[in-house]
Amino acid sequence: MTLLNETHDPALRSWLASANTAGGDFPIQNLPFAVFRRAGTPEAFRGGVAIGDQVLDLAAVAAAGVFAGDAQAAARAASEAKLNALMALGPAAWSALRLALSRALREGAAGQAALRPCLVPQDRVEYDVPARIGDYTDFYTSIHHATNIGRLFRPDNPLLPNYKWVPIGYHGRASSIGISGQGFHRPVGQTLPAGAAQPVVGPCQRLDIELELGIFIGQGNAQGEAVTITQAEAHVFGICLLNDWSARDVQAWEYQPLGPFLSKSFATTLSPWIVTLEALAPYRAPLQRPADDPQPLPYLDSEANRREGALDIQLQVDLLTPRLREAGGEAATICRTSYRHAYWTVAQMVAHHTVNGCNLQPGDLFGSGTLSGPTPQEAGALIEMTQGGKQPLALPGGEQRSFLLDGDTVTLRGWCEKPGAARIGFGECRGTVLPARG
Amino acid sequence: MTLLNETHDPALRSWLASANTAGGDFPIQNLPFAVFRRAGTPEAFRGGVAIGDQVLDLAAVAAAGVFAGDAQAAARAASEAKLNALMALGPAAWSALRLALSRALREGAAGQAALRPCLVPQDRVEYDVPARIGDYTDFYTSIHHATNIGRLFRPDNPLLPNYKWVPIGYHGRASSIGISGQGFHRPVGQTLPAGAAQPVVGPCQRLDIELELGIFIGQGNAQGEAVTITQAEAHVFGICLLNDWSARDVQAWEYQPLGPFLSKSFATTLSPWIVTLEALAPYRAPLQRPADDPQPLPYLDSEANRREGALDIQLQVDLLTPRLREAGGEAATICRTSYRHAYWTVAQMVAHHTVNGCNLQPGDLFGSGTLSGPTPQEAGALIEMTQGGKQPLALPGGEQRSFLLDGDTVTLRGWCEKPGAARIGFGECRGTVLPARG
């Protein structure tokens, strides 16, 4: 487990004033990674770190030779168009770079003059998917989501017998993962209308969101060698926001017996910023598994995982409809929850994924699965919020939504805050539904 | 559809005598692609074409400047360590290279002197996975397999209602795909023993094979743009053999509700040689869909697909146990079937995969799903051959097998032959079960 160190000190302030704004996502205690370039230019993408309202260009930092040793090696690895090389370096290098950045960005730091020319305003950049994602695995770690969804499909038997034993996951589609700000066309697919004898093909009528976190793997493991739960977090680079857009009508018709496929593979949206596990260390929480539930099998269990395997990441979903946009642009918040309610932790996902010898590689992505909390207001998907579409959400101005309509924009947000620690944020994960292609 | 041309002429012979051997896999009418290097050396892998008992080194051919125009551009693209660049060039370039190779390798060809130095004996090379596989999708195209498996899990309702409408598929794990000759450790995983109240963790007890074909995507499609069934085959580079090793006991416990995961992701083995669709043109066959079955929805239907969408690729599975190996090395053939029995074609897989706008990329891989034929002798997995393990296979020398034991080697083979066409083969796809890790 990551111990707190000087980079977590809530009293730290940066010489960059915008990093010290109360309630900001990117204070000096955060230092998340993205790949970026100046918007609208043909520049190469390269790694950057968020600080206040700026991006610190790591390619420029590396070229300037501001740092030395592991920190310089990490900055150089982060100069590429994808962060895989940085991810492959492992926790000691990530930590060295974080410490060097923290020291150089602090009030009074000697590095100020060298770093200032490496800053680019966030409102002038565009982002890309931060890694070459070799494989994307989507988990199902919220027992509340599994139960809510299960109740819609199987009222008498909502939670399957394996759920409390197996951190259920499945392979997702990597090619269609995009970055915050993207629009995507409403998918077309086969569905079986209620009462119909045969399926029809057409635009999805039950387009949904899934509020998830994305977990980027750092160092991989060799094929055939399981990662123990004790080692698991050393293989994790960091966490971002993830919206697993879902075509529920397509899903219902296609998913037996091999699981969801085209109902998910048309688009998945990530937030650009990856918050490192080290930055998240102050917000660890005990894993809340009811005492009368079966306790995890040994390969999924450790004292540290029980004590602080969960992460209290606050999550919010905002919906901006075309009508709300015209009325002034204020989105409706339709969900508030926390990642701390997940039944399975990041460490358990890694240990489970590799127990059979499956090899993880730097830049692989895990989705947490929809992060619904225990109450209806904490549901992370419209299908849950609306009881399968039967109880539409009431939005400001008299509008209603069962599922997404064309022009709807959904924005996920995440942040951590607690007494005695700085508030750090994840930025946003935003996507817009475009009409189906003709 | 690919028309027959001079490269398919069964009368063609090569100046390389070994290519003219009756019953050989690699006559001049085949010309499949792999990546290879001299075994045991640190040479870079590069593309090669099989001819007789040799590999024609395409990097050497490109460097020698033997070809011109599209054929030279294709040879140059095939000089890299993976074939993605060649795959991205598209059918015109692949066809130009095939024609140039066919002409240069023919008896009496002027190119003989230039090409001879580019030959490397196959028995002195090693192969690698031929593409950077961005995404791997496994389909379920054999209705016989789906019915056989369904009967084991749901005796009253073996075939699910969506099967005859939806070319069922799911995402597979790309990182653990290996090349023929590999050994892999028996996977460890969670299983629920019969009658037990809670699962156990340990080495898989029901390790199985799946006889499949692997289909490599050539040119991709943009996200949001479906590939029509008419265009579909222009996006396919070629076909290899694929063994989708499966841990049936893990699968039974984990697969609800999101499909197979760790039961498959520990290892998948490919044959090194990719036979192009153009080489397979003489072996096309009508799609055999019973008249009283629902006919495909329009996006999955075309006159050409009905007339010749199937491929008559003969398939065989050989099992060599440690005892058979000691007794002299003759493997037992445990399955013989043909790909022509598949319910869904390659073109239908492409059209279905992209109907929702999902983007395919050069080097993506599809698995056909287990290719069981209509009779028990044509079953492509042990779980089918043995009725779920209840009727073990009788092997020569009195041995029996329900599922694979440590030390077992499984070899898939494939070939095409028919009157008026040359016989062409796929080589072999071989893998060996190593003991579980301790």
Side-chain angles (χ1 to χ4, degrees), chain A residues 165 173 175 190 262 359 364, chain B residues 173 175 190 356 359 364:
Chain A
W165 297 98
R173 180 82 194 174
S175 73
Q190 273 194 49
L262 299 188
N359 52 323
D364 282 352
Chain B
R173 179 83 194 174
S175 73
Q190 271 194 48
N356 70 343
N359 53 322
D364 282 352

Side-chain angles (χ1 to χ4, degrees), chain A residues 153-169:
Chain A
F153 287 93
R154 300 171 303 273
D156 300 333
N157 178 28
L159 197 69
L160 292 168
N162 57 10
Y163 189 86
K164 292 182 177 179
W165 297 98
V166 180
I168 296 285

